[in-house]
Amino acid sequence: MTQTQHDADQDIVLECDQVNRWFGGLQALKGISLSVRKGEIFGLVGPNGSGKTTLVNAITGFYPPQQGQIRFLGEPINGLKPHCIAQKGIARTFQNVALFRGLSVLDNILLGRHIFMRPSIMASLFYWWWAQKEEVAHRVKVEEIIDLLQLESVRDEPVDVIPLGMQKRVELARALCAEPRFLVLDEPMAGMNQEEKEYMVRFILDAREAMGTTMLLIEHHMDVVTAICNRAVVLNNGEKIAEGPTREAINDPAVVTAYIGKVKDAA
Amino acid sequence: MFYRLSGIHHTRYESARALWPVTADRRIVQGLLLLAVAAPFLLSDLYLTSYMLPWLIWTAAALSLTLLMGVAGQLHFGFAAVMAIGAYTSIHLTRAGVPFELALLGAGLMAALIGCLFGAAALRVKGLYLVMATLAMQYLVEWTIINVPAISGGAQATLSTPDVTFLFIPLQSDGALYYTALLWTVVVTLLIMNIKRSSFGRALVAVRDKDFAASVIGVNPLKYKLLAFFASSFLGGVTGAVLAFCYYQAVTPEQFGFNVSIQLVAMVLVGGLGSVIGAYLGAGFVLLLPIVLTNLLAFVAQFDLIPISFNLLSHIPLMVYGALIIGVILFEPLGLAKIYDNIRKYFLVWPFRHTQS
Ligand SMILES: Nc1ncnc2c1ncn2[C@@H]1O[C@H](COP(=O)(O)OP(=O)(O)OP(=O)(O)O)[C@@H](O)[C@H]1O
Ligand SMILES: [Mg+2]
């Protein structure tokens, strides 16, 4: 093994190795292998139903792969429960916003700090002498993230009354609060207008700069993907059809056919 | 105007998260607490022991249940059984010579233990199935108490509470009983409010709202469901013991029957799921309404305008009571707490119309 290759191995944050996932008779992931390096924004693209979300669900433990291995910082994580994977430092946002509707924006973001806190009934009972100190300490961190994502104006609103674009931002804030080493963003810009989209791109880049988070980005907006992703993988029907530096990967002939083929099918 | 928000700027996270950040609210709470403490001197013995005292204790029970049903989102239709476990455990412990303070702890632990056993069903099932599991608890506990003479004190028996002292004060006078109940209700109230503003409560709500999203931020849904059952059953058990010692003074299994479980659920629903103030309002509503109605009808019946049979007289309160519950739920699904909140917001901006949130 050469020195440079060795360094590259050390730098790998997340690695999927021949991951297979079936839903009944449908094979949603067909032997997917990929590796995400430290500090990069890794694009995951593909037509609708190509298995992008399924791959994320495999990584975060919701639908563990039936075959293959997923390693996080060299350690196998497939088979672990989702909350254990979260505690190891993987955070994600959902394609359909998954916020806690009964809580305010602030409480939602505070929940991102859960893995660093020690919630207990006793701490709550003796709040003034016990829980309060912890609450305030974590509030400071949360306010930093609120600053970073410009959420001050909605901080105290119930989360279900704010617009969708804001909700997606709150979800990103909640994920960032966990100070993840690996962050998965599942279509963070779906349903957004151009302005909101640009804001979101800004926030993603700011977050990486401020916290050095490695990210996996699923996105249908190709302009965004080419603009901010260092490398990308293209899926189609559960298969990996292209991989490499973003521009090369999505201009791959196989990718073009996959997308155009889709259009033809629809027509 | 009435609630001045202008000039209230929190400069510390502690004060922004205070229990009552608005001065006017704090004043109201202080006033109410003062009234509660002065109640034995203001009210006649009858009102103190047959209205205030049960209202406080049932509020504590509703608060315990709302922690589980409202905050944690787990249905429980057998909460009277949880209280029964607490009541019987405390009586047997004190009879065996255990100090009352420790007996309360034992009552809570026993209720929490058995409550968790049935709550473990919550880890696998949701909704209607959980209702079935908790109903099973209601009937199994009731059956066990009735059929094991060592617990019930014999067939058809009432088990009376022995004389005890609480914090060196003998629980004999009406005042001592009242203050014990008041203390417990205040403790439960503060606990629930503190749970709701700290990480433990947020985790419970997260699991209630979206358990998959909760697990993705590192909350273990199973653990928190079980903890919710533990905490709620513990509080329910102690409340059962307080109910037995401070109010009933002699317990029978019927006092903790299925209809009582339903009453508790009604208190929580009518008051507003998960709301602290709702537990007070809901408990008051469920306890007082039948009494008020009966008196009202008896008053109307005096004039002989419409013939009201004795049988009807006894049923009308129950009917109106049911109709009002449905009414509250249809009219304002968030319960009396929401109605209170609307009124409060009205005064918050009076004489204007628009609220911030
Ligand atoms: N829980 C499930 N049960 C059965 N089939 C599923 C499940 N989740 C996903 N699938 C199937 O797996 C395939 C891949 O779905 P997936 O959601 O991963 O696509 P995607 O690439 O995220 O698409 P989109 O761009 O629309 O989000 C689809 O055919 C889908 O129907
Ligand atoms: Mg998807």
Side-chain angles (χ1 to χ4, degrees), chain A residues 18-200:
Chain A
Q18 290 295 319
V19 168
N20 286 296
R21 173 78 210 191
W22 286 267
F23 290 113
L26 176 97
Q27 190 171 5
L29 293 176
K30 299 171 186 159
I32 304 293
S33 299
L34 58 82
S35 50
V36 182
R37 294 190 204 122
K38 194 164 195 281
E40 74 180 347
I41 300 183
F42 192 93
L44 184 59
V45 294
N48 290 111
S50 54
K52 305 182 295 292
T53 301
T54 307
L55 183 63
V56 171
N57 282 337
I59 295 171
T60 50
F62 286 101
Y63 294 124
Q66 284 116 339
Q67 273 176 20
Q69 203 180 47
I70 299 170
R71 285 184 293 273
F72 179 57
L73 300 169
E75 183 192 351
I77 54 165
N78 43 326
L80 291 183
K81 288 261 178 321
H83 65 91
C84 298
I85 293 177
Q87 280 157 7
K88 291 203 177 291
I90 299 185
R92 75 175 277 191
T93 64
F94 289 85
Q95 190 168 348
N96 318 310
V97 186
L99 291 169
F100 306 112
R101 303 195 56 198
L103 293 174
S104 69
V105 168
L106 177 63
D107 281 333
N108 265 279
I109 304 177
L110 270 167
L111 263 164
R113 302 293 296 172
H114 179 85
I115 51 174
F116 303 114
M117 300 183 82
R118 275 167 302 135
S120 80
I121 301 164
M122 280 317 204
S124 297
L125 177 60
F126 300 106
Y127 183 88
W128 302 272
W129 305 277
W130 195 336
Q132 190 173 49
K133 217 187 285 170
E134 197 184 35
E135 292 287 322
V136 170
H138 290 279
R139 177 78 186 266
V140 172
K141 181 72 199 172
V142 164
E143 289 296 330
E144 270 173 35
I145 304 285
I146 287 180
D147 250 18
L148 187 73
L149 301 194
Q150 298 174 14
L151 286 164
E152 298 89 349
S153 60
V154 294
R155 188 198 284 117
D156 296 315
E157 301 288 327
V159 82
D160 48 350
V161 304
I162 62 174
L164 181 75
M166 276 292 190
Q167 292 186 0
K168 290 225 152 201
R169 229 192 271 178
V170 173
E171 212 189 359
L172 176 62
R174 186 179 70 189
L176 284 176
C177 267
E179 298 175 49
R181 280 186 281 188
F182 184 60
L183 173 63
V184 183
L185 302 169
D186 196 348
E187 302 199 19
M189 287 154 237
M192 285 192 173
N193 62 33
Q194 190 61 27
E195 190 192 344
E196 289 174 320
K197 234 169 75 182
E198 279 168 19
Y199 262 103
M200 200 50 146

Side-chain angles (χ1 to χ4, degrees), chain B residues 32-325:
Chain B
L32 286 175
L33 191 63
L34 216 71
L35 280 179
V37 171
F41 308 100
L42 302 175
L43 296 175
S44 71
D45 282 357
L46 175 74
Y47 275 94
L48 189 72
T49 53
S50 46
Y51 288 85
M52 273 302 274
L53 184 70
W55 177 49
L56 283 176
I57 302 176
W58 286 108
T59 297
L63 282 167
S64 318
L65 183 57
T66 216
L67 173 64
L68 185 64
M69 295 218 338
V71 180
Q74 305 292 318
L75 297 172
H76 202 313
F77 278 59
F79 208 68
V82 174
M83 294 176 69
I85 296 169
Y88 277 93
T89 307
S90 63
I91 294 178
H92 284 294
L93 283 178
T94 46
R95 286 193 157 195
V98 177
F100 183 56
E101 294 83 356
L102 284 181
L104 285 179
L105 196 69
L109 286 176
M110 186 64 117
L113 200 80
I114 301 178
C116 276
L117 221 63
F118 286 88
L123 308 183
R124 308 226 144 262
V125 298
K126 281 181 187 166
L128 264 182
Y129 295 100
L130 183 57
V131 170
M132 295 306 289
T134 52
L135 277 181
M137 171 173 186
Q138 173 74 44
Y139 285 111
L140 272 172
V141 169
E142 237 183 288
W143 186 89
T144 311
I145 291 176
I146 292 173
N147 288 289
V148 180
I151 299 176
S152 59
Q156 310 277 314
T158 53
L159 197 64
S160 48
T161 57
D163 293 337
V164 291
T165 60
F166 181 57
L167 304 177
F168 307 109
I169 299 162
L171 284 189
Q172 311 284 352
S173 64
D174 288 345
L177 296 175
Y178 172 80
Y179 283 120
T180 305
L182 178 64
L183 179 68
W184 175 243
T185 309
V186 168
V187 168
V188 178
T189 304
L190 289 176
L191 172 61
I192 307 283
M193 294 188 83
N194 282 338
I195 283 180
K196 285 172 70 169
R197 62 175 173 156
S198 56
S199 51
F200 181 67
R202 283 195 299 272
L204 293 182
V205 175
V207 173
R208 173 195 76 190
D209 279 358
K210 282 199 180 66
D211 51 1
F212 67 92
S215 60
V216 90
I217 50 169
V219 180
N220 181 351
L222 301 188
K223 178 179 155 192
Y224 280 91
K225 280 182 190 175
L226 214 52
L227 277 175
F229 269 94
F230 182 90
S232 166
S233 305
F234 182 93
L235 296 177
V238 177
T239 307
V242 172
L243 184 70
F245 275 84
C246 295
Y247 184 57
Y248 286 145
Q249 273 135 17
V251 295
T252 65
E254 295 85 63
Q255 287 164 341
F256 303 96
F258 173 63
N259 56 328
V260 180
S261 284
I262 293 302
Q263 261 188 355
L264 280 162
V265 171
M267 286 175 190
V268 169
L269 286 182
V270 170
L273 272 174
S275 158
V276 168
I277 202 159
Y280 280 86
L281 298 175
F285 181 91
V286 169
L287 289 181
L288 272 183
L289 193 84
I291 303 172
V292 173
L293 270 176
T294 315
N295 289 342
L296 204 72
L297 283 171
F299 179 74
V300 172
Q302 275 180 4
F303 300 108
D304 256 346
L305 293 176
I306 27 169
I308 300 176
S309 78
F310 222 70
N311 196 10
L312 185 64
L313 197 64
S314 64
H315 277 98
I316 283 182
L318 286 176
M319 283 153 52
V320 176
Y321 172 54
L324 272 176
I325 290 179

